[in-house]
Amino acid sequence: MKRVTIRVPATTANLGPGFDAFGCALSLYTDVTFEETDSGLEITGCDEEFTGPDNLAYASFCAVMDSMSEQVKGVKIHIDASIPVCRGLGSSAALLVAGAMGANVLHGNKLSIQGLLNITNAMEGHPDNLAPAFYGGLTASMVDNGLPVTVNFPLHPDWEILAMIPDFNLSTTLARSVLPNELSRADAIYNIAHGAMVLKALELGDEKLLRSAMQDRLHQGYRKHLITDFEKIEALVRTMGAAFCLSGAGPTLLCITRNKNVREQLEAKLPTITQADWELIPLHVEFQGARVIE
């Protein structure tokens, strides 16, 4: 096989208190096509600044090839991305996953998904987005002795997920720079308890429990000042009975609910409380992870 296209779902990480641990795959996708050639690198479908050897899809492609002791002679890569960049929806993880899987498929699937996760986690630094991108669904992950360990959790089928994507981006570096270096014991206990409740609320479909459990004391309170009208939007969403959280490091906000009318209500009321342009995209949980589509 000389050519393959990999489809990778968007992901949301943290889910409130599950900082760098919880993740969920969503129904928004990046497709990446890899075609091996005799020499050279050609990348299309993205801004010119990302067409060099530091492109994440190419970097992970090469990392997996190296792990299989295969030589990279040349490759053409075409990126067709619906996942917005620098919006907290796993755009970087999607490229890493695509590159790793692309190399593996083109060379006989010598590595397991866990093996690919090990390689890409070493590149990314944490598995919260990578795990659901590979496996699909709702995941919790940890790193044990340098290797990622991931489990899937059940989800109630009636959840509606609304991604609120603004017309501005937020770099992960900036979003991490505002976080505290130390956490009090009380705040650590608070996050552990709330994280456990998030997983159970998502399983049961308990919207009231999820609204409370999504709060945390580790990252959202520090990052909200980087996002225009965060507190106004949060207050509005909560009046509608929905759960609310940052998607990853932001600036995308998530509304998780069983109320199918929330999108219409928000579209009507958001312009009255914020000057920013927010795109509201209804999504569902994607239970299938990265896969070959052609």
Side-chain angles (χ1 to χ4, degrees), residues 7-9 25 97 101 131-137 286-292:
R7 172 165 292 172
V8 187
V97 169
M101 184 169 285
F134 273 120
Y135 291 109
E286 174 55 82
F287 288 96
Q288 187 173 4
R291 59 193 183 275
V292 176

Side-chain angles (χ1 to χ4, degrees), residues 31 39 95 102 171 204 212 226 255 274:
D31 296 344
S39 63
L95 293 178
S171 75
L204 296 175
S212 298
L226 302 174
C255 175
T274 178

Side-chain angles (χ1 to χ4, degrees), residues 9 14 27-29 34 49 54 85 91 108-109 116 118 136 140 153 162 171 183 191 203 236 273 278 282 285:
N14 301 331
S27 56
L28 196 63
Y29 307 93
F34 301 88
E49 62 182 303
D54 55 349
V85 176
S91 60
N109 286 306
L116 300 179
N118 292 347
F153 286 84
L162 189 65
S171 75
L183 198 65
N191 265 56
E203 176 187 351
L236 176 60
I273 64 169
W278 294 82
V285 175

